[in-house]
Amino acid sequence: MQIDLPVIWAAIIGLGVFIYVMLDGFDLGIGLLFPFFEGKGEREVMLNTVAPVWDGNETFLVLGGAGLYGAFPVVYSTLLPANYMPLMLMVVGLIFRGAAFELRAKATRTQHAWDLAFIGGSALAAMCQGIVLGSLLQGIKIVDDKFAGDPFDWFSPFSVFCGFGVLITYAALGCGWLILKTDGELQRKMRQLMRPLTAVLLGAIVIVSLWTVLGLPSVEARWFASGNLGWFLPVPILVLVCVVSIFRSVRLQHEAMPFLLTLAICFLGYTGLIISIWPYIIPPSLTIWQASSSHSSQLFALVGTVIVLPIILVYNAMQYRVFRGKVREGDAGYH
């Protein structure tokens, strides 16, 4: 019996994208939280919590992109032309964020300018990721396996609001991470900020969910007309449970739970996305099997991935283990 390689590759790429969102999400979120904390010492502590790990976090973006190119090359002739501008702006944002991260520590008179670059780069990258997600959900026009729409089809109220939703999600992840990694006055301020961020995040989830289910016919059919609604109901119920639990954990001053519960919300949202579009990799017409490269190409790439992926996972796990514990003002840092 032949192995269904497209399904395996869809799982690998899906895993890579989720780990990227989970890990790079909180360090992008720290950039989004910078405007709320103007003290130099507080900002240094915030950056030092991710300084040892942020490079490794982006490894999974490379994994997802390379896997997509090798396993589903048709996606590059459809998704990329449909989203050239937001994808290029995302890369620009990541460049500014990375450069600012390294250079602000060595700057004196221009440190404030690099802080602005760090904030702007983080916001631009997060916003553009959400816009691409919204563009994917609303559907991409394809003819003969090629993009046949307008260059600005990606720009719509729905995709822009998805960008806003990703901004809020990353900010909440960053806040949860900083509750875990800091103490004292900075941790107290993060606990205060976590409550309104969680409330806004819940509102964004409700609006995007209703907009997706009621405004996009293909998704509405998947959720309501297929008879599978009973299987899908746990997703929104569990999201609500997580939100209530975040408020409770903040009130009880738990340190790890706000971050872990925000990660759980991200996972539930990701499963909702998969439920809404499966088995289409480019809704509403291109399935994972239609977009696949040849069986031999996918098998060759899979052999390399089976070797490399465990190494990447072990490396990332080790760096978080080595740099575990609290980060405080006055620590040497990792620049």
Side-chain angles (χ1 to χ4, degrees), residues 91-325:
V91 173
V92 170
L94 291 174
I95 291 172
F96 267 88
R97 190 274 300 258
F101 198 106
E102 299 294 341
L103 294 175
R104 71 173 300 280
K106 300 171 177 63
T108 53
R109 291 175 298 177
T110 60
Q111 189 175 78
H112 182 67
W114 286 117
D115 283 350
L116 292 177
F118 183 64
I119 295 167
S122 300
L124 182 61
M127 187 73 183
C128 288
Q129 288 175 17
I131 287 173
V132 172
L133 172 62
S135 170
L136 183 69
L137 277 172
Q138 70 188 12
I140 295 173
K141 186 178 180 181
I142 299 172
V143 176
D144 296 328
D145 291 340
K146 294 182 179 180
F147 174 60
D150 186 270
F152 290 92
D153 280 352
W154 56 268
F155 186 74
S156 69
F158 177 73
S159 64
V160 171
F161 192 83
C162 285
F164 171 75
V166 170
L167 280 174
I168 295 301
T169 302
Y170 285 177
L173 278 172
C175 192
W177 171 257
L178 290 169
I179 290 173
L180 173 65
K181 294 291 290 183
T182 63
D183 57 12
E185 182 64 13
L186 181 57
Q187 186 187 60
R188 186 190 66 79
K189 291 179 180 179
M190 289 299 168
R191 285 199 176 102
Q192 289 182 335
L193 190 58
M194 192 70 192
R195 295 187 183 96
L197 279 175
T198 303
V200 175
L201 176 60
L202 178 61
I205 291 171
V206 170
I207 293 172
V208 170
S209 299
L210 291 176
W211 202 333
T212 302
V213 173
L214 302 179
L216 304 177
S218 59
V219 178
E220 181 185 7
R222 171 61 61 89
W223 281 80
F224 293 104
S226 63
N228 291 323
L229 183 61
W231 295 98
F232 301 156
L233 278 179
V235 173
I237 292 174
L238 287 172
V239 167
L240 186 59
V241 170
C242 287
V243 168
V244 173
S245 298
I246 288 174
F247 279 96
R248 183 174 182 274
S249 65
V250 169
R251 179 172 55 83
L252 296 177
Q253 298 188 359
H254 292 163
E255 296 196 330
M257 287 306 295
F259 180 60
L260 295 176
L261 289 166
T262 309
L263 288 178
I265 291 174
C266 291
F267 175 75
L268 291 168
Y270 199 62
T271 60
L273 169 65
I274 294 172
I275 288 170
S276 298
I277 67 174
W278 179 264
Y280 297 98
I281 194 167
I282 302 291
S285 57
L286 193 65
T287 68
I288 60 171
W289 298 280
Q290 292 170 320
S292 294
S293 59
S294 66
H295 181 83
S296 58
S297 296
Q298 288 192 342
L299 185 60
F300 177 78
L302 183 62
V303 173
T305 303
V306 168
I307 297 171
V308 172
L309 183 57
I311 297 173
I312 295 174
L313 292 172
V314 170
Y315 164 76
N316 276 270
M318 286 181 64
Q319 69 176 354
Y320 281 96
R321 176 174 174 78
V322 169
F323 293 103
R324 67 189 183 276

